[in-house]
Amino acid sequence: MISNWSGTVGRAFRTARRPSTPVTYGLIALCCLIFLAGPAAGLNPAYGSGDALFAAQRAYFHRWGVVPAELFEGSPRAALTPATALFVHGSWVHLLGNMLFLYVFGVMTEERMGRVQFTLFYVGCGYLALLGYAAANAESEQSLVGASGAISGVLGAFLYLFPGARVTSLLPFLFFLPLRFPAWVVLPFWAALQWLAAQRAAQGPGVAYLAHLVGFGLGFVYAWARFRRTTRVNSAPAPAPEGENQP
């Protein structure tokens, strides 16, 4: 889901057109292809329609998503689901929101980290974020899907690497006026909103705010540990995402 107070910036999109970030493009393409081929898109006639389509969606999410109650039973298949769930999305809004922010934030982060390191970082943060959420909701039998945990990790790394990047935000309480703030203001504010929402969240997956917090923290700590002895870049704007939608 796209946060209702953040917007995209033209300069970030111009940066993203550079051909030096194939991993970001590849992740976006893979997620889109998987979504279009699956039942959530509603475009594949093989899954039927009506009740049949709804049943197919539930079975699909259960197979490829994280089911906390099954994850810690020792099943090898279940142990892989925090990785497979990163490429499965529950709706068009869920997919497009996540891919938008991966496109904007991922490009600069990949350029800074390099292709191999960024790939391992993205998958590792996403896996651990979903694992952390599952551990905190170990009895839940609802499936959790989406890339928001991994993308939150990218946000955390972006905050450390590009703290001065200007972020254009649309704030509801200021009548959605577009205002520009540095990343060190916007992204911690986003993280604070996730923490507050996590305190009010009901049991079981819905929007996995805890996964966002885990991913964000892991991303920031990794970037600090890996790049603390190098010069951080204080340029280029970007937005900020919401999180993990659960169908």
Side-chain angles (χ1 to χ4, degrees):
M1 180 182 300
I2 303 176
S3 174
N4 61 359
W5 48 269
S6 63
T8 57
V9 184
R11 183 179 172 188
F13 281 98
R14 290 194 296 271
T15 301
R17 294 193 183 101
R18 298 175 185 173
S20 59
T21 55
V23 175
T24 299
Y25 289 120
L27 289 170
I28 292 172
L30 181 58
C31 287
C32 289
L33 288 173
I34 290 174
F35 179 79
L36 292 173
L43 300 177
N44 190 337
Y47 292 105
S49 60
D51 291 341
L53 177 60
F54 181 71
Q57 290 173 348
R58 294 192 62 175
Y60 185 82
F61 298 140
H62 186 273
R63 178 177 182 181
W64 300 110
V66 176
V67 181
E70 299 177 1
L71 183 59
F72 301 105
E73 293 179 352
S75 167
R77 186 201 67 81
L80 291 175
T81 57
T84 59
L86 297 177
F87 303 95
V88 178
H89 291 82
S91 68
W92 284 95
V93 172
H94 190 199
L95 172 75
L96 295 176
N98 276 345
M99 295 307 99
L100 170 64
F101 295 125
L102 176 57
Y103 179 66
V104 176
F105 283 114
V107 166
M108 293 177 62
T109 307
E110 181 184 348
E111 286 184 336
R112 188 82 165 100
M113 291 186 175
R115 300 172 184 178
V116 174
Q117 184 177 181
F118 179 76
T119 301
L120 297 175
F121 165 79
Y122 180 89
V123 175
C125 276
Y127 188 101
L128 292 175
L130 293 179
L131 187 66
Y133 181 88
N137 298 273
E139 297 181 358
S140 174
E141 296 182 354
Q142 297 185 40
S143 55
L144 179 68
V145 298
S148 293
I151 295 171
S152 296
V154 174
L155 290 178
F158 188 96
L159 173 61
Y160 182 81
L161 296 173
F162 308 102
R166 305 296 294 183
V167 179
T168 299
S169 300
L170 303 177
L171 304 177
F173 52 85
L174 292 179
F175 305 102
F176 294 97
L177 293 175
L179 301 175
R180 287 167 59 82
F181 299 98
W184 65 265
V185 172
V186 174
L187 294 182
F189 178 63
W190 172 84
L193 290 179
Q194 303 305 296
W195 183 83
L196 291 173
Q199 308 309 304
R200 301 192 302 268
Q203 284 189 340
V207 177
Y209 298 108
L210 180 59
H212 305 166
L213 291 171
V214 173
F216 186 84
L218 287 172
F220 185 88
V221 170
Y222 177 84
W224 171 81
R226 176 66 179 81
F227 298 99
R228 67 182 184 275
R229 296 181 181 178
T230 61
T231 303
R232 289 182 288 175
V233 179
N234 296 314
S235 63
E242 180 67 22
E244 211 88 284
N245 280 352
Q246 173 59 39

